[in-house]
Amino acid sequence: MECMPVCRNITLAFTACLFSFTSATAETTYQMENRTALLNYTITGPGKAQSFYDPKARIYHESDIQISDLQLGGDWKGSLLTTLRYTDSPQYDPNYTSIQNLAIHLADPQNNIDAGDVFANLSPYSMMKGIKGVGFQHNFGDDRNYVRAVYGSFDGQWAYLLLNSRLDEPMDRFGGGVRVQRAIDNLTVGANLAQVADRARDPKRGTSNVYRQVLPAVDWEYRSGGMVLSGEHAYSRSKLLPYASLSQSLQGYANRIVFRGIYRTFSLNGNVERVTPNFITLGGGATPDRMRYHARADWRLDRQWQIFSDYDQFYNSLSQQLSTRTHYETAEAGIIRRHLLGRRASALTISGRSRSKRTDDGSASARSHRIRLKYKDRAFDNALNYTLDYERLLNTDKAGIATTRLSNNLYHISVGYRGYDIGKWRVSGDFDFGRQELQNPTTANFDISDMMLLSLKAKSSGGSELGASYNLGSNRVTVAGSGSRQNRGMVYFSIAPKILHGGSIRSEYSLNDYRFDNVTRNYREGLLQVLINWNLKK
């Protein structure tokens, strides 16, 4: 694909041309929002290399410059938005100065032209991705009937595109597509064609695989009264060029249908999705080798009583990272009682849930049955809201082992206080406490997570704010020796001087302590930040 550098130059030239044209336009309005951060981080412990933060005193600054209401002649209008960054911290950027965002938009009643940072919005399967390039849309009468075209580089940073010298720069990937949408009464149909290709001769390739792809897709939506029926159907044809083996041709399909319907007091929502193992989308989103059925029904009998049911079944192989498919099935049904004991904001939910998991190779098979009680209400003239959520395991076969002590009882308590006035200050706070199951993305099993969060905030009528929070958590994972515990505390104080034109100054200190079953991974972070937001407007 020797045309790739040429495409890069066309994109940059078009962007520079539009930039020079707009900057020469008279009588513009502008706004500059600035964020300056003075940072001082201290990292200790044997596992301090795991910390994301850079253990030094650093400065970080970004400016958002927005120019709008540009009258460009005739019916054309334009705008420009760019974000510039300065930092001496390699944690955020290896370059001292950089362009983080550059978006130019030109429009008249029937046309839209975008350059720079463009969101390539075709369809979910074909392409929905931020690129650096150009985009064009022409409307046929209204914005429901149009043709749209986009093309550019998939580079995540402007430094990759402009400098081409960063050590962390990935291989060049270029792509784009065309979408034509037609709407007639209640029916909308879109036809999409996406094309993506890696530059095989890019010196940045290393040992990465090279992909070249063409992906057509059709999406549609039909509305009638309280019903919405929609879907998308895509076909991918991809050529894979591995670094050290022969090329492969891969073909796959993806189909999805979604239904939403309401009839008086009854509602039904459902979706079906099937993605074949060799379906690949480089610009859109899909999980290869996946089948899913999901449906939920709600029937409100009157103002107080409601019944519901929910069914979810799917399988996947975690994008073929696992050696076998894992099948999940969850069924839940229950009732909701509102206005309990005459309280307008109260609601009690009682439900039963059954969940099963099995693998194609027979390596795992388990089923759990739970009963759930959930109550929410408000008190003190609606100033305090609270939720109590409790689940009880009714069987011992959930994990396929003799004991299920950790997951026998799952619960969540949430309390929020909207404010109490003390002089010129309004005090508010939140409290969360609970235990839940979280699916482990590596093993496809369920881990146990315990958490507690307490936060307090006091805000004055003059805009000053004082706050603190404490977060305690632990994870008991299905992989032996991989459990962890976290203690995180934070205090801050902020003021809003008028000289900053709506900006603020915030001082914040955080102390984070991380402990692991493997003690060599333990570390602690002390994070001191002074954050200054200041604006300029005209």
Side-chain angles (χ1 to χ4, degrees), residues 293-311:
Y293 304 94
H294 178 253
R296 180 181 174 91
D298 291 88
W299 186 13
R300 191 152 186 171
L301 305 177
D302 54 32
R303 296 184 61 187
Q304 294 181 334
W305 292 94
Q306 177 181 339
I307 61 176
F308 69 91
S309 63
D310 190 281
Y311 179 78

Side-chain angles (χ1 to χ4, degrees), residues 124-140:
Y125 281 147
S126 61
M127 186 170 293
M128 293 192 75
K129 185 176 182 63
I131 63 173
K132 289 171 173 51
V134 294
F136 172 77
Q137 177 173 319
H138 175 73
N139 298 330
F140 299 102

Side-chain angles (χ1 to χ4, degrees), residues 191-222:
N192 312 272
L193 180 63
Q195 182 271 337
V196 181
D198 296 324
R199 189 160 71 94
R201 297 185 181 181
D202 189 343
K204 302 291 186 179
R205 174 186 177 180
T207 60
S208 301
N209 294 334
V210 170
Y211 288 90
R212 295 173 183 171
Q213 176 182 93
V214 175
L215 195 157
V218 175
D219 60 276
W220 51 274
E221 180 182 87
Y222 177 76

Side-chain angles (χ1 to χ4, degrees), residues 17-72:
C17 177
L18 289 175
F19 182 83
S20 62
F21 176 66
T22 56
S23 62
T25 305
E27 297 184 2
T28 63
T29 60
Y30 72 88
Q31 177 175 326
M32 178 182 290
E33 297 182 356
N34 302 280
R35 299 176 297 278
T36 303
L38 307 177
L39 314 172
N40 191 357
Y41 299 149
T42 302
I43 317 297
T44 59
K48 61 182 180 181
Q50 298 176 92
S51 175
F52 170 78
Y53 298 103
D54 180 25
K56 290 184 179 180
R58 300 291 190 180
I59 185 172
Y60 178 95
H61 175 83
E62 281 190 349
S63 292
D64 296 334
I65 303 173
Q66 182 174 359
I67 305 175
S68 57
D69 298 326
L70 296 169
Q71 301 298 325
L72 305 178

Side-chain angles (χ1 to χ4, degrees), residues 3 16 23 47 148 202 211 259 283 297 334 382 419 452 458 476 481 495 532:
C3 66
S23 62
R148 176 185 298 156
D202 189 343
Y211 288 90
F259 174 83
N382 294 328
M452 184 189 73
R476 311 185 195 199
I495 56 175
I532 307 171

Side-chain angles (χ1 to χ4, degrees), residues 19-328:
F19 182 83
S20 62
F21 176 66
T22 56
S23 62
T25 305
E27 297 184 2
T28 63
T29 60
Y30 72 88
Q31 177 175 326
M32 178 182 290
E33 297 182 356
N34 302 280
R35 299 176 297 278
T36 303
L38 307 177
L39 314 172
N40 191 357
Y41 299 149
T42 302
I43 317 297
T44 59
K48 61 182 180 181
Q50 298 176 92
S51 175
F52 170 78
Y53 298 103
D54 180 25
K56 290 184 179 180
R58 300 291 190 180
I59 185 172
Y60 178 95
H61 175 83
E62 281 190 349
S63 292
D64 296 334
I65 303 173
Q66 182 174 359
I67 305 175
S68 57
D69 298 326
L70 296 169
Q71 301 298 325
L72 305 178
D75 293 329
W76 284 91
K77 295 182 179 181
S79 64
L80 179 144
L81 174 64
T82 184
T83 301
L84 308 177
R85 174 191 289 174
Y86 169 82
T87 183
D88 62 352
S89 173
Q91 165 199 341
Y92 295 103
D93 202 320
N95 301 315
Y96 284 100
T97 59
S98 60
I99 301 174
Q100 293 303 301
N101 179 62
L102 174 61
I104 299 171
H105 179 70
L106 306 176
D108 73 359
Q110 297 299 323
N111 301 284
N112 291 272
I113 300 175
D114 293 281
D117 282 291
V118 176
F119 185 63
N121 182 10
L122 301 182
S123 70
Y125 281 147
S126 61
M127 186 170 293
M128 293 192 75
K129 185 176 182 63
I131 63 173
K132 289 171 173 51
V134 294
F136 172 77
Q137 177 173 319
H138 175 73
N139 298 330
F140 299 102
D142 56 46
D143 57 6
R144 296 184 63 204
N145 297 273
Y146 61 82
V147 58
R148 176 185 298 156
V150 293
Y151 191 81
S153 167
F154 281 29
D155 283 334
Q157 301 182 34
W158 279 99
Y160 297 156
L161 190 66
L162 299 176
L163 302 180
N164 201 32
S165 59
R166 289 268 295 268
L167 296 178
D168 60 341
E169 180 182 349
M171 172 176 50
D172 284 342
R173 173 172 288 178
F174 292 83
V178 178
R179 172 180 174 84
V180 179
Q181 179 172 302
R182 177 66 170 158
I184 303 176
D185 297 328
N186 297 330
L187 178 64
T188 303
V189 179
N192 312 272
L193 180 63
Q195 182 271 337
V196 181
D198 296 324
R199 189 160 71 94
R201 297 185 181 181
D202 189 343
K204 302 291 186 179
R205 174 186 177 180
T207 60
S208 301
N209 294 334
V210 170
Y211 288 90
R212 295 173 183 171
Q213 176 182 93
V214 175
L215 195 157
V218 175
D219 60 276
W220 51 274
E221 180 182 87
Y222 177 76
R223 293 175 175 267
S224 178
M227 182 194 75
V228 179
L229 184 64
S230 62
E232 183 177 2
H233 315 279
Y235 163 75
S236 71
R237 183 174 181 179
S238 308
K239 187 174 183 180
L240 169 62
L241 290 82
Y243 179 75
S245 60
L246 299 177
S247 64
Q248 305 175 33
S249 294
L250 304 174
Q251 300 181 49
Y253 299 87
N255 297 276
R256 174 173 50 223
I257 296 177
V258 179
F259 174 83
R260 301 194 308 273
I262 299 176
Y263 179 72
R264 294 184 179 178
T265 59
F266 179 80
S267 66
L268 178 64
N269 298 314
N271 64 78
V272 179
E273 183 179 31
R274 174 71 173 103
V275 183
T276 61
N278 287 332
F279 181 83
I280 299 173
T281 173
L282 301 177
T287 301
D289 191 25
R290 181 180 179 86
M291 169 70 85
R292 183 164 195 168
Y293 304 94
H294 178 253
R296 180 181 174 91
D298 291 88
W299 186 13
R300 191 152 186 171
L301 305 177
D302 54 32
R303 296 184 61 187
Q304 294 181 334
W305 292 94
Q306 177 181 339
I307 61 176
F308 69 91
S309 63
D310 190 281
Y311 179 78
D312 189 21
Q313 179 185 7
F314 69 95
Y315 71 70
N316 63 38
S317 58
L318 297 183
S319 300
Q320 301 179 340
Q321 297 178 43
L322 300 181
S323 59
T324 184
R325 284 176 178 171
T326 303
H327 299 255
Y328 299 92

